Amino acid sequence: MEENCIFCKIVNKEIPVKMIYENDNFVAFPDVAPQIKGHCLIVSKKHFVNSLDIPATLGNELIGAIKSIFELKVKEDKSIEGFNIVQNNFPVAGQIVMHAHWHFLPRRKDDGKHLRLE
Ligand code: 5GP
Ligand code: ZN
């Protein structure tokens, strides 16, 4: 636990959120400022800063979390046909919260969101 880290506080239940998923090493909860309907964050339980900091052995669980969250989302909204995973590493790449997390963005046909790399 890192002092003054907002995601550590959420993981430790000091700040209440509606958890939508949990496994041994990750949790997921809605982003406070969703970029698209259903936007949520997959967050490591331990305070790792970003991808470089995370042990590669947690990769299986991260992929498992992504698959489970997609299944959960589709169950609650049949119009979801896909998803984007976005991760910002270091401030220069747009990382604001310095505790490792992945954005899960559910996608619907004609949802008007453009995340294409140019
Ligand atoms: P990034 O660090 O990848 O730029 O994004 C951090 C994300 O965390 C942002 O999308 C922001 O809306 C979200 N966020 C920041 N503080 C909180 C919070 O206290 N609760 C939740 N649920 N999301 C947060
Ligand atoms: Zn933290």
Side-chain angles (χ1 to χ4, degrees):
M1 165 115 191
E2 186 93 349
E3 222 178 310
N4 296 323
C5 171
I6 194 90
F7 286 176
C8 280
K9 287 181 181 162
I10 289 173
V11 167
N12 285 292
K13 300 184 171 40
E14 287 172 38
I15 295 174
V17 294
K18 182 182 160 246
M19 284 296 173
I20 64 164
Y21 175 83
E22 177 169 6
N23 66 20
D24 285 350
N25 287 285
F26 296 93
V27 293
F29 50 84
D31 194 295
V32 75
Q35 297 299 307
I36 199 167
K37 193 178 166 200
H39 177 184
C40 65
L41 301 169
I42 304 172
V43 175
S44 61
K45 286 187 179 176
K46 287 191 192 147
H47 182 87
F48 300 116
V49 173
N50 57 35
S51 276
L52 297 188
D53 208 19
I54 286 221
T57 49
L58 296 192
N60 279 345
E61 265 188 64
L62 176 61
I63 296 294
I66 291 169
K67 290 182 185 196
S68 298
I69 291 163
F70 180 65
E71 282 167 16
L72 290 171
K73 291 282 178 191
V74 168
K75 256 185 212 160
E76 72 187 30
D77 183 345
K78 296 279 184 280
S79 68
I80 294 171
E81 296 180 10
F83 62 97
N84 295 103
I85 296 292
V86 175
Q87 197 208 8
N88 303 320
N89 293 276
F90 298 104
V92 72
Q95 186 177 5
I96 293 167
V97 177
M98 301 306 284
H99 177 134
H101 60 280
W102 288 259
H103 296 258
F104 183 103
L105 298 141
R107 301 304 304 272
R108 299 161 184 86
K109 204 170 177 188
D110 302 324
D111 61 18
K113 195 81 185 163
H114 298 288
L115 289 167
R116 205 164 282 125
L117 297 176
E118 300 301 333

